[in-house]
Amino acid sequence: MSTTTRRLAATALATALGTAALSACGGGSGDGSAAEDSGKPAQKTVTLVSHDSFAVTDAVIKEFEQQSGYTVQVLKSGDAGTALNQEILTKGSPRGDVFFGVDNTLLSRALDNGIFTAYEAKGLDTVKPEFVLDAQHRVTPVDSGDICVNYDKAYFADKGIAPPQTLDDLAKPEYKDLLVVENAATSSPGLGFLLATVGKYGEEGWKDYWAKLKANGVEVVDGWEQAYNERFSGSAGGRKAKGDRPLVVSYASSPPVEVLYAEPQPAEAPTGVATGTCFRQTEFAGLLKGAKNEAGGKALIDFMIGKKFQEDMPLKMFVNPVVKDAQLPELFTKHGAVVEKPETVAPDTIAKNREQWVKTWTSLVVK
Amino acid sequence: MAVPLAFFGVFFAYPVTAIVGRGLKTDAGWQLGRIGEVLAEPGIAGVLWFTVWQALASTVLTLLVALPAAYVFARLDFPGKQVLRAVVTIPFVLPTVVVGTAFLALVGRGGLTEELWGVRLDTTVWAILLAHVFFNYAVVVRTVGGLWAQLDPRQEEAARVLGAGRLAAWRQVTLPALAPAVAAAAVMVFLFTFTSFGVVQILGGPAYATLEVEVYRQTAQLLDLSTAAVLTLVQFAAVAGILAVHAWTVRRRERALRLVDPALTAHRPRGAGQRLLLGGVLLTVALLIVLPLGVLVERSFDTPGGHGTGYYEALAQAGSGGGTFLVPPLEAVGNSLEYALAATGIALLVGGLAAAALTRRAGPFVRGFDALLMLPLGVSAVTVGFGFLITLDEPPLDLRTSWILVPLAQALVGVPFVVRTMLPVLRAVDERLREAAAVLGASPLRAWREVDLPLVRRALLVAAGFAFAVSLGEFGATVFIARADRPTLPVAVARLLGRAGDLNYGQAMALSTVLMLVCAAALLVLERLRPDKTSGEF
């Protein structure tokens, strides 16, 4: 639609909207938030667009605001895939200045669509080099986490069998009918786990492996919430929902979270991690092309790989820092798993094959 | 008429057209060939088939289960009737993300059906069908029951006096009067189940997908806009077809019926048959609706140290250190209420004006407009949400980061309810009163204020209540556009459920219970305000 028509449509509506807005405010519901939008000059606000899992401690953000003089506004919209797709759709006229939350499974889609402006963050030299996947610095790595099979410690202790450790183990008869996974087509841990098997068994071999998993009674549900909170017998939600699957695809950081959000906190996490089943996910932030506040966006990215932010992430987003000298909280070192050899697949390979793999997987496992 | 038209033009037609256009139009022009290609894809035919038959099955099942209840609520008097009518409506306005969890406790693993008969229904199509009955029960009870209560029983009695048998009298007198309402309810249920999203995702597992689920997957996950656009068009065509049927049944219903005060038609149950029926309906309501909701409440109190209010206390404290919400979860209650109030204001304004316009004019254009107002109920939230993103991006309409976007999106869903509730009442206003006012020199506005307003005040309140409740529970569109610092209740619940840990899960249940109570309170107030004589369809 041309700009003129757009303007016309907009003007035609202005009256209607004006009345609507008035009636809304008259209802006592306007509550100053409109003033919040327009009260400050635009260049003093820096807007971060992210997915629903983004979280940061207030004090940390305040520190950035005091240092830089900018006010931070956060927009969250849906899961990681949805949030990224929204950025692609609004390319050139973004809602914010920085996008955080594109991971290595979707990185190529973001880069191919050219939504980011290259910016080499100050302090990038402190980031472990294995995480820097884009040589042009259109994106900056911020955190990493592992998608792994979690197990219910009590279940395996009761039965007197050792919990599985590797992907091979999961196909063994003693673990028949125990595993629940997420749909690779709709869930990011589901896709991550599929990629772990691709990384381990190769671009052809993974199909045989999944045929074995299927024969061994793997169950697929749509999302992480259902798998973890409903079906998994080791999680707090799953115990209440009488979950009957002691193995689930979740994160290496899930056991510490089970400890943190329990009252009183148990001495030991109720769940463990099968460290030979992991796929490593790295999340990136990038300066959006067409950002209204480029300087602010750059400052925010610098801050995100600064020590303060990096050390805040583990207990807020339950991910690992990417900078060399960041300390992990005790909760993580005590209850979390160290994954020595996670599976990885190059972003380009993922981009080229993702659709086909997911389609094949769906016909193999779901239908 | 101008305001509702502009509203729908800018906040519905324009965004939806733009996002569909983005999918189907390339530099080389319109890619209409994609329609054939997509429809020919092997998976799509299966999705279409499943969408249609599960909606048909859900509709039939809902009618079977809910029609006896419509009779009971209309014609029998029993203690707690008002409360119960509010209770059966709660599922209809609760977000599926919450109810799916509770419903699983009934038919899922370790649920009641498994304990009693060893039957587990999760990830089967039965779970989907039962959940659809659960969600749409109120549509039938309110639509059919509302009319049934106002039918004059003396007409049937007269037929019997004239020698007709009991069954014949019912078939020849009551059934024809009721049939259009039953048809309208069936159409509504079909529409809601045809576009089912959350229920199918949560209860059906990955093997089942409706068109709506597929549109979401293609848009939000795969960014395959052309496939999504084709599917949106298919759904659009289907929904338009359903609405055409709906408009037809509405028109047929508008023949004169002698309506009476519902309070005069209801009586205490008489005889074993009626008592049995009442008992059966109460049992169904208890098992199908109260039980799943009860499970939710029970879990919200089920703390590790025994039953207590720990999760509610945590809700009040959480967020003081910042983090996921940036505001304490209980502030989400405030946000939800504010958004819902604003949405109600917009929906009343737009819907009220539309209903007024529809009352004054007639003809095919107006009927088309009537159907158009229902379309947002049948179009995927993700389509509307993504459409907002690519259209409302330039001043003066760069609303993408503004708080007003949430109530605007919610109002889109609220307007159809306002129109449906107000229209029958407005049509019942005697035109001669308005003419008399005009003759006496009143301006149209004054005539409206002096004649229409007093007559429709209560219908307006009922409509407001519905728009409010629907806005409160709206999740699909809100999740894409809610600002991080001002999450609504359903969004906050979803965020809590997205994390591991006992406290998060417990707080999600507690917050769901709060949402339920707020909904129930709104609906109870609504019950009190119900107009005596004529009420709308809901």
Side-chain angles (χ1 to χ4, degrees):
Chain A
M1 194 174 244
S2 77
T3 313
T4 337
T5 1
R6 211 178 252 222
R7 287 262 157 73
L8 273 176
T11 324
L13 185 83
T15 345
L17 180 66
T19 337
L22 272 180
S23 82
C25 291
S29 45
D31 145 81
S33 46
E36 202 175 285
D37 289 339
S38 54
K40 289 171 186 125
Q43 66 272 19
K44 292 306 266 181
T45 303
V46 57
T47 305
L48 176 73
V49 188
S50 189
H51 49 62
D52 276 343
S53 311
F54 177 80
V56 59
T57 303
D58 279 351
V60 172
I61 282 290
K62 289 242 166 63
E63 189 173 312
F64 169 75
E65 290 181 336
Q66 270 159 15
Q67 276 172 17
S68 66
Y70 297 114
T71 309
V72 178
Q73 191 188 58
V74 182
L75 293 174
K76 301 192 218 182
S77 42
D79 60 23
T82 310
L84 172 66
N85 290 348
Q86 290 180 326
E87 281 325 297
I88 293 173
L89 278 181
T90 55
K91 180 184 158 187
S93 166
R95 291 172 296 165
D97 306 302
V98 174
F99 179 74
F100 164 73
V102 55
D103 64 29
N104 45 327
T105 65
L106 292 168
L107 182 59
S108 288
R109 184 188 288 173
L111 296 183
D112 292 348
N113 278 288
I115 59 171
F116 294 123
T117 306
Y119 168 64
E120 188 172 345
K122 286 192 192 77
L124 193 64
D125 53 324
T126 62
V127 172
K128 294 177 195 158
E130 72 253 34
F131 294 116
V132 184
L133 292 182
D134 178 39
Q136 298 173 45
H137 305 302
R138 289 165 292 185
V139 289
T140 306
V142 173
D143 69 72
S144 103
D146 296 302
I147 291 166
C148 309
V149 169
N150 285 19
Y151 58 83
D152 176 1
K153 282 182 182 166
Y155 175 90
F156 289 102
D158 283 356
K159 297 273 168 190
I161 24 175
Q165 284 305 318
T166 64
L167 288 173
D168 282 338
D169 286 349
L170 295 175
K172 289 180 181 162
E174 59 259 47
Y175 304 113
K176 192 170 169 57
D177 295 336
L178 301 187
L179 175 65
V180 58
V181 304
E182 295 86 358
N183 187 355
T186 49
S187 143
S188 105
L191 177 64
F193 186 61
L194 167 60
L195 292 173
T197 64
V198 173
K200 166 90 178 177
Y201 301 103
E203 289 185 33
E204 287 305 315
W206 68 267
K207 292 173 212 163
D208 294 336
Y209 175 74
W210 275 95
K212 278 188 222 159
L213 274 193
K214 174 144 194 182
N216 213 28
V218 68
E219 180 155 342
V220 184
V221 297
D222 233 49
W224 180 87
E225 286 83 356
Q226 286 104 279
Y228 194 85
N229 287 333
E230 295 287 338
R231 303 307 312 276
F232 180 44
S233 61
S235 70
R239 284 196 296 277
K240 268 177 211 161
K242 300 184 192 142
D244 60 350
R245 296 254 157 177
L247 296 172
V248 67
V249 171
S250 188
Y251 298 90
S253 60
S254 300
V257 184
E258 287 287 344
V259 175
L260 178 66
Y261 286 104
E263 241 180 39
Q265 290 188 1
E268 200 194 333
T271 58
V273 171
T275 51
T277 62
C278 301
F279 176 77
R280 179 148 295 174
Q281 226 178 0
T282 305
E283 276 192 299
F284 304 87
L287 187 63
L288 286 164
K289 228 174 238 175
K292 290 190 190 75
N293 184 359
E294 269 208 15
K298 287 176 179 172
L300 186 59
I301 292 177
D302 295 345
F303 182 76
M304 290 175 90
I305 55 169
K307 205 168 166 184
K308 192 93 192 176
F309 187 88
Q310 289 282 313
E311 293 190 341
D312 184 54
M313 290 186 314
L315 291 186
K316 283 290 158 193
M317 289 188 271
F318 310 103
V319 288
N320 294 309
V322 293
V323 300
K324 291 166 193 157
D325 57 345
Q327 296 285 313
L328 272 175
E330 198 199 336
L331 189 80
F332 263 52
T333 47
K334 201 170 157 205
H335 303 286
V338 181
V339 181
E340 299 287 355
K341 280 190 187 153
E343 302 297 341
T344 53
V345 182
D348 289 349
T349 317
I350 298 175
K352 221 167 41 218
N353 300 300
R354 191 198 312 110
E355 299 298 303
Q356 195 47 52
W357 287 342
V358 168
K359 266 192 185 150
T360 310
W361 178 87
T362 305
S363 57
L364 259 177
V365 187
V366 179
K367 304 276 166 174
Chain B
M1 195 103 155
V3 173
L5 268 180
F7 179 81
F8 272 83
V10 177
F11 295 115
F12 180 70
Y14 175 36
V16 171
T17 317
I19 191 81
V20 170
R22 182 78 77 99
L24 286 182
K25 201 173 162 191
T26 62
D27 296 336
W30 288 89
Q31 305 291 306
L32 295 179
R34 280 294 293 156
I35 298 179
E37 277 169 46
V38 170
L39 292 180
E41 275 173 35
I44 298 300
V47 168
L48 265 173
W49 170 237
F50 175 72
T51 308
V52 173
W53 86 252
Q54 65 81 23
L56 271 177
S58 300
T59 308
V60 171
L61 202 61
T62 308
L63 286 177
L64 280 179
V65 176
L67 277 179
Y71 170 80
V72 165
F73 276 102
R75 285 290 158 90
L76 298 186
D77 250 338
F78 52 93
K81 185 167 150 181
Q82 275 197 353
V83 174
L84 213 57
R85 184 154 42 204
V87 166
V88 301
T89 316
I90 289 177
F92 183 66
V93 293
L94 274 187
T96 40
V97 56
V98 174
V99 178
T101 305
F103 207 73
L104 274 176
L106 183 65
V107 297
R109 146 209 74 256
L112 192 80
T113 54
E114 188 176 23
E115 268 174 32
L116 289 183
W117 306 293
V119 181
R120 251 181 71 180
L121 299 176
D122 52 330
T123 73
T124 71
V125 75
W126 282 103
I128 297 176
L129 297 184
L130 275 180
H132 280 162
V133 176
F134 171 81
F135 271 104
N136 295 307
Y137 195 80
V139 176
V140 177
V141 169
R142 287 183 173 256
T143 313
V144 181
L147 184 68
W148 209 331
Q150 294 174 59
L151 287 183
D152 193 341
R154 279 169 303 187
Q155 287 179 326
E156 200 178 310
E157 281 156 21
R160 293 196 60 198
V161 168
L162 293 175
R166 199 188 188 93
L167 191 69
W170 188 80
R171 212 180 57 221
Q172 282 166 13
V173 178
T174 307
L175 190 63
L178 222 46
V182 175
V187 166
M188 291 296 272
V189 175
F190 188 83
L191 181 68
F192 290 136
T193 52
F194 187 82
T195 58
S196 183
F197 178 74
V199 166
V200 175
Q201 270 220 317
I202 293 172
L203 295 175
Y208 297 105
T210 55
L211 265 178
E212 184 98 352
V213 171
E214 199 57 25
V215 168
Y216 172 79
R217 213 169 68 82
Q218 297 290 344
T219 310
Q221 306 288 334
L222 304 176
L223 202 63
D224 184 346
L225 290 184
S226 68
T227 303
V230 172
L231 296 179
T232 302
L233 287 178
V234 170
Q235 180 155 331
F236 222 84
V239 168
I242 300 167
L243 290 177
V245 175
H246 184 68
W248 180 68
T249 57
V250 164
R251 208 165 63 231
R252 277 194 35 196
R253 189 167 21 162
E254 275 163 14
R255 63 201 191 111
L257 288 173
R258 198 193 310 163
L259 300 183
V260 296
D261 186 342
L264 301 177
T265 65
H267 55 79
R268 293 258 159 200
R270 288 189 290 252
Q274 288 189 348
R275 282 202 199 93
L276 204 66
L277 189 64
L278 175 62
V281 166
L282 291 181
L283 187 71
T284 316
V285 171
L287 288 181
L288 190 74
I289 290 166
V290 177
L291 198 69
L293 297 179
V295 166
L296 210 71
V297 178
E298 194 271 333
R299 282 193 191 167
S300 75
F301 287 105
D302 185 15
T303 59
H307 283 73
T309 55
Y311 296 136
Y312 291 88
E313 285 157 25
L315 268 187
Q317 292 156 9
S320 49
T324 316
F325 299 105
L326 299 170
V327 289
L330 276 186
E331 263 184 52
V333 178
N335 291 340
S336 267
L337 290 175
E338 282 174 18
Y339 283 139
L341 270 178
T344 307
I346 301 171
L348 279 183
L349 183 76
V350 174
L353 286 172
L358 285 171
T359 323
R360 303 279 161 88
R361 290 165 213 190
F365 172 71
V366 164
R367 276 198 298 277
F369 181 61
D370 188 4
L372 179 82
L373 291 173
M374 300 280 286
L375 269 181
L377 292 179
V379 173
S380 155
V382 68
T383 308
V384 177
F386 274 46
F388 273 7
L389 275 181
I390 63 166
T391 49
L392 306 180
D393 60 342
E394 275 182 24
L397 277 178
D398 188 3
L399 302 174
R400 294 173 305 165
T401 62
S402 161
W403 68 278
I404 190 87
L405 207 54
V406 175
L408 281 173
Q410 293 174 343
L412 271 182
V413 192
V415 168
F417 290 93
V418 175
V419 175
R420 292 265 76 80
T421 315
M422 305 264 306
L423 207 48
V425 183
L426 277 175
R427 284 193 172 140
V429 174
D430 196 332
E431 186 58 35
R432 281 169 301 186
L433 282 175
R434 293 191 193 106
E435 281 161 9
V439 168
L440 292 174
S443 67
L445 188 71
R446 175 102 192 262
W448 184 82
R449 207 180 63 214
E450 302 286 343
V451 176
D452 292 64
L453 192 61
L455 290 168
V456 302
R457 197 180 59 89
R458 301 188 92 168
L460 200 69
L461 287 170
V462 172
F466 254 104
F468 185 76
V470 169
S471 309
L472 211 56
E474 207 284 331
F475 178 71
T478 313
V479 72
F480 298 119
I481 47 192
R483 275 190 9 203
D485 52 344
R486 312 196 68 205
T488 63
L489 271 172
V491 170
V493 169
R495 282 186 192 161
L496 281 167
L497 281 176
R499 281 185 162 193
D502 180 61
L503 268 178
N504 289 321
Y505 184 82
Q507 285 184 72
M509 294 301 130
L511 205 53
S512 303
T513 306
V514 170
L515 175 59
M516 208 157 81
L517 288 176
V518 175
C519 280
L523 288 165
L524 271 177
V525 172
L526 230 167
E527 285 294 327
R528 300 246 164 239
L529 298 172
R530 236 175 133 71
D532 315 311
K533 291 227 161 90
T534 33
S535 69
E537 278 167 36
F538 279 93

